[in-house]
Amino acid sequence: MECDYDVGIVGAGPAGLAAAVYAARGGLSAVCFEKEVHGGQIINSPEVENYPALGKVSGVEFATALYEQATGFGAAVEYEEILSADLEGEVKVLHGASRDWRVRAVILAGGVQRRKLGCPGEDRLLGRGVSYCATCDGAFFAGKTVAVVGGGNTAVEDALYLATLCEKVVLIHRRQGFRATEAELAKLRANPRVEFVLDAAVAEVRGAEKVESILVKSTAGAPDREIPVAAVFVAVGLIPQNERFRGALPLTPEGYLQADADCRTALPRVYAAGDTRSKTLRQLVTATADGALAASSAVADLSGDATL
């Protein structure tokens, strides 16, 4: 059966575009499928300063340069939502919103969506004090008061990290109990820069051009409280974009794809790259590294020489 491309890449964020660069340079015809705009969530970051050797660059600049690099090497980008996939055969079939696409290998790089607070001001002030990545953006608020929202390990780890940079960290959680481990909580409770605001939820993020304060409502009947902060770091969970592949590939209980160190999944010539796969660190640099690994694995597997 004739194929449209050698490699179909689901997602045109940093992992998907990096995969396209490496696939195209490896001599494969490659296409990225993207439902919305290319670049992924990094385009919402006003500054990226922790990508090795780049210095400071905006998320849009980074995404644009990576897109131009991928297409410059001959990779294609189709603005098409992939709804499901048949991944077991020699020819993989990606079922798009407008048509089916036949490819020899598939790289799944659909990423995650950050779970939002859903309150007024959150979207309007995104990138101007509202952040979903403390390690990405925390340094911009050194010496200031910031808030962290959440009760899991990510929220506690974010608060610990920010407490090394910021004058004060206000941790807001809607319950008394935490999902985070007791060991991490003990570290946080012992830190004099951290204030716990429990049985509370953020009802509004306030500010004209940037975050200036948050309105916190009690879940236990206490009065509302406005807390001045320079930033709000939201850590209430991630939603992997993998439900469309349930049944075709096994998912972790949290919904992530499983892959080995070379980004190979349990199915031949199917790979998982970036935030969409089970891993400990989700950063821009690990996403692009995954894309390079997945594409290099595809080049080797399609050549029939696993040592390539």
Side-chain angles (χ1 to χ4, degrees):
M1 185 183 297
E2 187 175 346
C3 290
D4 299 294
Y5 291 92
D6 291 324
V7 181
I9 303 164
V10 181
L17 289 172
V21 169
Y22 274 75
R25 292 188 74 246
L28 301 180
S29 60
V31 59
C32 288
F33 297 100
E34 178 56 56
K35 177 184 176 182
E36 297 173 343
V37 64
H38 60 264
Q41 295 189 52
I42 197 63
I43 64 173
N44 295 316
S45 296
E47 277 192 357
V48 175
E49 65 172 11
N50 62 348
Y51 195 89
L54 269 191
K56 291 185 179 181
V57 64
S58 75
V60 170
E61 288 172 326
F62 181 90
T64 300
L66 189 52
Y67 169 84
E68 291 175 350
Q69 187 178 24
T71 55
F73 281 122
V77 177
E78 292 283 348
Y79 293 94
E80 166 93 297
E81 182 180 11
I82 299 301
L83 303 174
S84 62
D86 297 328
L87 300 175
E88 291 189 358
E90 285 296 310
V91 174
K92 319 295 183 183
V93 183
L94 300 174
H95 302 291
S98 67
R99 54 163 287 192
D100 290 346
W101 301 81
R102 290 172 172 79
V103 297
R104 299 170 64 204
V106 172
I107 297 174
L108 302 175
V112 296
Q113 285 186 354
R114 305 283 177 175
R115 200 178 299 277
K116 294 187 175 184
L117 299 173
C119 67
E122 181 180 17
D123 289 339
R124 181 174 60 84
L125 294 171
L126 177 63
R128 292 182 286 170
V130 173
S131 173
Y132 300 90
C133 182
T135 53
C136 304
D137 301 327
F140 299 123
F141 303 97
K144 299 180 180 180
T145 297
V146 302
V148 175
V149 186
N153 280 323
T154 299
V156 171
E157 289 165 4
D158 285 355
L160 283 168
Y161 169 71
L162 291 166
T164 67
L165 304 171
C166 301
E167 180 182 32
K168 182 178 180 181
V169 178
V170 182
L171 180 65
I172 301 165
H173 184 39
R174 60 175 55 251
R175 294 181 293 275
Q176 288 285 329
F178 285 81
R179 299 186 309 279
T181 63
E182 189 56 42
E184 294 299 296
L185 278 171
K187 295 178 188 176
L188 204 60
R189 292 191 178 106
N191 195 309
R193 293 188 177 185
V194 178
E195 176 188 351
F196 286 79
V197 178
L198 305 180
D199 292 328
V202 176
E204 184 180 357
V205 181
R206 294 177 170 175
E209 299 299 324
K210 60 183 180 180
V211 171
E212 298 171 5
S213 67
I214 51 175
L215 177 64
V216 175
K217 286 187 174 291
S218 171
T219 60
D224 294 350
R225 178 181 173 188
E226 185 169 9
I227 303 174
V229 295
V232 183
F233 293 91
V234 181
V236 293
L238 302 172
I239 307 172
Q241 301 301 288
N242 293 328
E243 279 303 310
R244 53 194 156 166
F245 306 121
R246 186 178 292 279
L249 281 169
L251 304 179
T252 69
E254 297 80 19
Y256 293 101
L257 293 163
Q258 293 177 309
D260 67 12
D262 294 318
C263 294
R264 291 182 174 94
T265 71
L267 291 178
R269 290 178 283 108
V270 178
Y271 316 88
D275 289 356
T276 197
R277 77 179 185 98
S278 181
K279 58 197 295 187
T280 56
L281 183 64
R282 291 182 171 84
Q283 290 281 283
L284 182 59
V285 68
T286 63
T288 55
D290 274 3
L293 280 166
S296 296
S297 295
V299 171
D301 294 345
L302 289 175
S303 74
D305 180 3
T307 65
L308 181 65

